Amino acid sequence: MSEAITDVTARELYDGRGQPTLEACVTMESGATGRAMVPSGASTGRHEAVEVRDGGTRLRGQGVRRAVAAVREILAPRLIGHSALLQADVDAILIAADNTPGHAQLGANSLLAVSLAVAHAAAAHRHVPLWRHFADLAGTLPRLPLPMINLFSGGRHAPGGADLQDYLIVPRGATNLEMAIEMAVNVRLAAADLLRTRKRSTLLADEGGFGPRLTRNSIGFLWSVEAIERAGLVAGADVSLALDVAASQLVRDGQYVLRRPPQTLSTEALTTLVESWVECYPLVSVEDPLDEDDWVGWAHLTARLGSRIQVVGDDLFTTHTGRLQQGVRVGAANAVLVKCNQVGTLSETIGFVQLAKQTGYRTIASARSGETEEHWLADLAVGLGVDQIKIGATRTAERTAKYNQLLRIADELPPNSYAGRLAIDRGPTANGHDGGDVRK
Ligand code: PGA
Ligand code: ZN
């Protein structure tokens, strides 16, 4: 059987933060090969699948030799002889081999590296691009996502900076992907000029954006708007703003503790603060505005803001269908972040995206703060036909690898394949959150 897997191996390599990460390599009977590296988060959700690291003193405990051994000794023998074209079967074997909640024994990093390497090999075997293979696996029409691009970072991604983790720009006025990325590049350059004018640091944060010290979190919004205007664009029309609060990182003793300025807030008070930002700035999307386990708070916030902005669950859902079902039940959020390594395998990720689409939630494929130079995330976003993609800044090779791949894929697809502003502007949705175009 030419599509049979004949070899599975792994090695320890390094990601864009200089941390160890895992690469898996798969060979098929036909001679086709595939390999994949996995990313890693910093502001990880409590409900994410487990990333297995070695502990001890070598590489400050971050080594992944245990994961390498898990691939070589436990996963490889179970997969050899199976078809690489049957991704769901492959992933079921991986999940059964671990057989613990959260893939805690072998690690979601081991499972995902192998799952993706199998997909790469299968695409090579079929002589189709990776995005096409993903689309065939999911049964979707390939589509180019609307990018949301990091401009300023704070929180865990830029210690000493703002409390809020991610100030992003959304080039919703662009009519094609090339134009969207060009707008983002121009705004980033304008933001660098703005920082230099104000004698602020232009050193880069984890996702390639700037991580300046801000005395108030609201300055991040003001400077984002100013950068858009300095780039000759209209804030709110050409380019809007998005925000990732990563609120679980702010919780101390059941309250949200902010430092810029110093404030201790209840759920209600933080919801009101977020609402004031929505009223003052051209914000169209807010991610993780509240703690990952505060379903009641999320439901209230979504009822208050969900018709005006996109409310995104990242740590809330951690790419798990069970948590999304809970969200649908209570009316929490109206969009999901999709991160493969929060759940473990490609098939689990596809299942999550399908459920999100069925329930009327917007879908956003997302990189991690610790990324690699690989571009499979761009292929996955196109193949699964998600609405948006969140990669980081248009700077540093582990980020531009994905933007560049999107641009290559854009040349292969028909001109009407770009999701564009419809991917974010609110319309009536299946999950009952009433619609209406975002007015900013
Ligand atoms: P992480 O951050 O990769 O550090 O979890 C990304 C995000 O919160 O969206
Ligand atoms: Zn997030």
Side-chain angles (χ1 to χ4, degrees):
M1 179 175 77
S2 70
E3 61 261 36
I5 294 168
T6 53
D7 190 38
V8 182
T9 187
R11 60 172 69 89
E12 182 183 70
L13 296 177
Y14 294 89
D15 70 16
R17 273 198 286 236
Q19 292 287 353
T21 192
L22 184 70
E23 176 179 81
C25 307
V26 166
T27 308
M28 295 169 65
E29 178 82 44
S30 61
T33 60
R35 60 168 211 236
M37 292 166 78
V38 290
S40 178
S43 69
T44 47
R46 195 178 304 141
H47 304 284
E48 291 196 22
V50 177
E51 181 181 71
V52 165
R53 296 201 179 260
D54 297 341
T57 52
R58 180 180 165 269
L59 291 168
R60 301 187 178 197
Q62 297 300 301
V64 291
R65 284 182 178 167
R66 275 171 60 205
V68 169
V71 173
R72 292 182 175 201
E73 291 159 25
I74 299 169
L75 299 178
R78 285 173 167 75
L79 285 182
I80 287 169
H82 287 273
S83 170
L85 302 184
L86 303 176
Q87 186 74 43
D89 293 355
V90 164
D91 289 338
I93 292 168
L94 296 175
I95 292 165
D98 180 275
N99 200 29
T100 57
H103 312 315
Q105 196 200 342
L106 306 177
N109 43 347
S110 315
L111 269 56
L112 181 62
V114 174
S115 182
L116 288 170
V118 166
H120 276 81
H125 173 89
R126 296 177 60 213
H127 303 288
V128 297
L130 189 58
W131 56 267
R132 172 75 64 196
H133 183 61
F134 285 141
D136 292 343
L137 287 176
T140 25
L141 196 65
R143 194 166 66 135
L144 292 163
L146 169 72
M148 49 165 79
I149 304 118
N150 173 283
L151 196 59
F152 299 116
S153 285
R156 285 275 170 102
H157 295 171
D163 297 307
L164 309 176
Q165 184 177 285
D166 229 348
Y167 297 83
L168 306 109
I169 49 172
V170 183
R172 57 200 278 269
T175 50
N176 59 53
L177 182 82
E178 200 179 351
M179 191 174 167
I181 295 178
E182 194 172 312
M183 283 181 179
V185 168
N186 282 326
V187 175
R188 200 195 73 78
L189 292 171
D193 293 343
L194 177 157
L195 291 171
R196 279 187 213 104
T197 311
R198 290 181 163 82
K199 306 213 174 339
R200 297 306 183 99
S201 163
T202 53
L203 292 176
L204 303 185
D206 272 357
E207 299 198 341
F210 303 109
R213 285 177 183 277
L214 303 175
T215 47
R216 299 179 75 83
N217 294 313
S218 53
I219 295 174
F221 299 117
L222 294 170
W223 287 3
S224 298
V225 168
E226 194 179 325
I228 292 166
E229 285 165 359
R230 270 179 177 247
L233 297 162
V234 180
D238 297 321
V239 181
S240 293
L241 303 184
L243 173 69
D244 182 1
V245 180
S248 299
Q249 307 294 332
L250 302 173
V251 177
R252 304 279 175 279
D253 300 327
Q255 303 263 77
Y256 298 94
V257 178
L258 283 78
R259 295 165 305 138
R260 303 184 188 280
Q263 280 168 300
T264 300
L265 303 175
S266 64
T267 299
E268 173 71 21
L270 181 54
T271 303
T272 302
L273 182 60
V274 170
E275 184 166 32
S276 74
W277 292 330
V278 171
E279 269 151 22
C280 294
Y281 309 108
L283 265 176
V284 291
S285 177
V286 177
E287 178 179 332
D288 283 351
L290 295 172
D291 180 70
E292 58 208 333
D293 287 317
D294 186 0
W295 293 105
V296 174
W298 271 87
H300 282 146
L301 184 140
T302 307
R304 244 162 101 175
L305 302 178
S307 62
R308 283 185 277 166
I309 56 160
Q310 175 170 272
V311 181
V312 186
D314 169 14
D315 293 346
L316 180 73
F317 298 129
T318 54
T319 317
H320 280 67
T321 48
R323 292 188 64 85
L324 177 53
Q325 278 155 352
Q326 169 78 357
V328 172
R329 267 195 298 278
V330 303
N334 54 31
V336 300
L337 216 67
V338 181
K339 292 170 167 169
C340 300
N341 75 329
Q342 285 182 328
V343 63
T345 62
L346 184 54
S347 300
E348 289 165 289
T349 309
I350 292 173
F352 179 77
V353 170
Q354 286 170 340
L355 178 65
K357 288 184 179 185
Q358 282 157 18
T359 50
Y361 279 62
R362 302 272 168 159
T363 48
I364 307 160
S366 174
R368 301 307 305 248
S369 50
E371 266 299 330
T372 75
E373 68 270 26
E374 293 193 338
H375 60 59
W376 54 258
L377 180 74
D379 296 79
L380 187 76
V382 172
L384 300 191
V386 298
D387 297 299
Q388 297 151 45
I389 188 165
K390 185 183 163 202
I391 299 171
T394 51
R395 179 74 160 79
T396 72
E398 77 276 14
R399 313 281 155 194
T400 52
K402 281 93 168 159
Y403 288 114
N404 291 339
Q405 179 67 358
L406 287 175
L407 291 167
R408 287 185 204 107
I409 299 172
D411 283 342
E412 304 286 314
L413 289 174
N416 62 355
S417 306
Y418 181 52
R421 65 183 300 159
L422 284 178
I424 196 160
D425 289 350
R426 307 290 313 151
T429 57
N431 65 348
H433 304 299
D434 59 333
D437 205 30
V438 175
R439 52 194 163 73
K440 299 191 199 176

